[in-house]
Amino acid sequence: MNRILLFTLFIFSAPFAQDQDASTYSLHSPNGLVRFALNSKVDGSLFYDVQSGDRTILDKSFLSFKLSGEGHCRFKIIDTRPSSTDATWHPIYGERSTIRDKYEQLDIDLILLSPKPLALTLTCRCYDEGVAFRFTFPRQDNFGHIENLSENSEFSFTDNFETWAVYSAQGEYEKARISDL
């Protein structure tokens, strides 16, 4: 069974490209207005930024988590796989009977550098409305059980934007303004 951590951020407002610096990967929304850039530092840390048009929304936000028995996360990028999707799906309920699912995607295969290296994939998606990313841990022979003690990814907003999150309070999911949490 794969273990998944999912983080979604929608920002209202050229597909994948690797920049000249081999440690920076950029992904653009289908309409080209939203950009997600991932940077890998020499020390193995990962950070990202998000732009909408020529405005930076998130700046130098680190991606990290803490596993049991591990300290600071250090990663090594092994491979990247760009793709795109333009499909529709039909929700069970809601305002619309058909929803278009159009995005550019970049799967980044990583190794979590630790005493026992751990393979994982960071999937990044860029929609015209915003970005989403998630870590996936595929089944591995050298790890039987992985315990995530804390998810430490950052969201370093450049301004006082109105932001919303979906969270669970006593098992029920609710939408709330982040400033109210």
Side-chain angles (χ1 to χ4, degrees), residues 48-110:
Y48 69 99
D49 64 70
V50 175
Q51 286 188 309
S52 180
D54 56 2
R55 186 174 186 187
T56 299
I57 306 298
L58 292 165
D59 194 21
K60 199 169 185 181
S61 300
F62 284 88
L63 295 173
S64 182
F65 49 86
K66 184 174 181 180
L67 302 177
S68 60
E70 301 294 328
H72 173 71
C73 287
R74 295 182 308 115
F75 300 95
K76 179 178 180 186
I77 295 176
I78 303 301
D79 193 18
T80 60
R81 293 179 313 284
S83 63
S84 61
T85 295
D86 189 357
T88 57
W89 60 281
H90 305 283
I92 297 172
Y93 63 90
E95 297 175 7
R96 293 180 254 158
S97 61
T98 303
I99 296 176
R100 188 171 186 191
D101 195 20
K102 184 176 181 180
Y103 56 86
E104 297 295 328
Q105 179 170 307
L106 180 62
D107 291 313
I108 303 166
D109 294 328
L110 305 162

Side-chain angles (χ1 to χ4, degrees), residues 106-169:
L106 180 62
D107 291 313
I108 303 166
D109 294 328
L110 305 162
I111 297 291
L112 176 62
L113 303 172
S114 66
K116 291 172 82 176
L118 177 64
L120 64 151
T121 300
L122 173 62
T123 299
C124 307
R125 289 184 180 175
C126 238
Y127 299 84
D128 290 342
E129 300 82 13
V131 301
F133 60 89
R134 72 177 178 199
F135 287 101
T136 306
F137 297 85
R139 182 176 297 278
Q140 299 171 60
D141 292 335
N142 59 337
F143 274 86
H145 176 74
I146 302 168
E147 183 180 348
N148 183 20
L149 297 178
S150 64
E151 197 290 308
N152 302 323
S153 293
E154 297 176 350
F155 301 92
S156 300
F157 289 95
T158 59
D159 203 345
N160 189 19
F161 298 107
E162 184 172 11
T163 53
W164 294 83
V166 177
Y167 73 101
S168 175

